[in-house]
Amino acid sequence: QVQLVESGGASVQAGGSLRLSCVVSGFMFRSTALGWYRQAPGQQREMVALITTTNYPTYGDFVEGRFTISRNNTASTVDLEMSALKVEDTAVYYCSARGPTDAWQYLESWGPGTQVTVSA
């Protein structure tokens, strides 16, 4: 069964740091592309960071070097290290996985999200 579970969301002050983590199960993890997206109230979901099966990262333009995505193929996790947080980073952050599942299906799946709130 495919499941993604995020953790690490919290309320922090501007300039602070957070580390989000997502445990992914049900996928052939090493063959699965992973990512983090976010959605602020009244706005569309946007890509924060992606990481390929070969560990190549891509970031949204707004990241500007403040975030780092990483994957752990042994623990089946994908993390997002965030620093220099801004008020505009406030959003629900979602983990995503796209790839072959243990049942040999090709799927894209999302976690339920974790809230990040940055105050001035």
Side-chain angles (χ1 to χ4, degrees):
Q1 182 179 355
V2 167
Q3 189 173 30
L4 286 71
V5 180
E6 304 99 336
S7 62
S11 296
V12 296
Q13 289 192 322
S17 300
L18 278 177
R19 186 180 186 91
L20 305 182
S21 187
C22 177
V23 180
V24 179
S25 58
F27 281 89
M28 297 181 182
F29 191 84
R30 294 176 186 271
S31 301
T32 298
L34 304 164
W36 285 93
Y37 291 74
R38 71 184 188 183
Q39 188 167 19
Q43 298 193 18
Q44 291 188 332
R45 189 172 297 190
E46 63 181 346
M47 185 272 287
V48 177
L50 303 172
I51 189 165
T52 69
T53 57
T54 55
N55 256 330
Y56 186 83
T58 304
Y59 297 96
D61 290 342
F62 60 87
V63 171
E64 299 175 325
R66 300 178 297 128
F67 300 173
T68 302
I69 189 171
S70 61
R71 62 187 295 157
N72 184 323
N73 287 343
T74 300
S76 298
T77 58
V78 55
D79 290 353
L80 183 69
E81 186 76 41
M82 303 187 293
S83 61
L85 284 163
K86 305 175 182 180
V87 172
E88 52 264 42
D89 292 319
T90 296
V92 178
Y93 284 69
Y94 299 91
C95 172
S96 76
R98 184 175 63 192
T101 70
D102 294 341
W104 291 98
Q105 295 177 307
Y106 192 90
L107 288 180
E108 181 172 25
S109 186
W110 301 81
T114 187
Q115 176 70 46
V116 172
T117 303
V118 185
S119 58

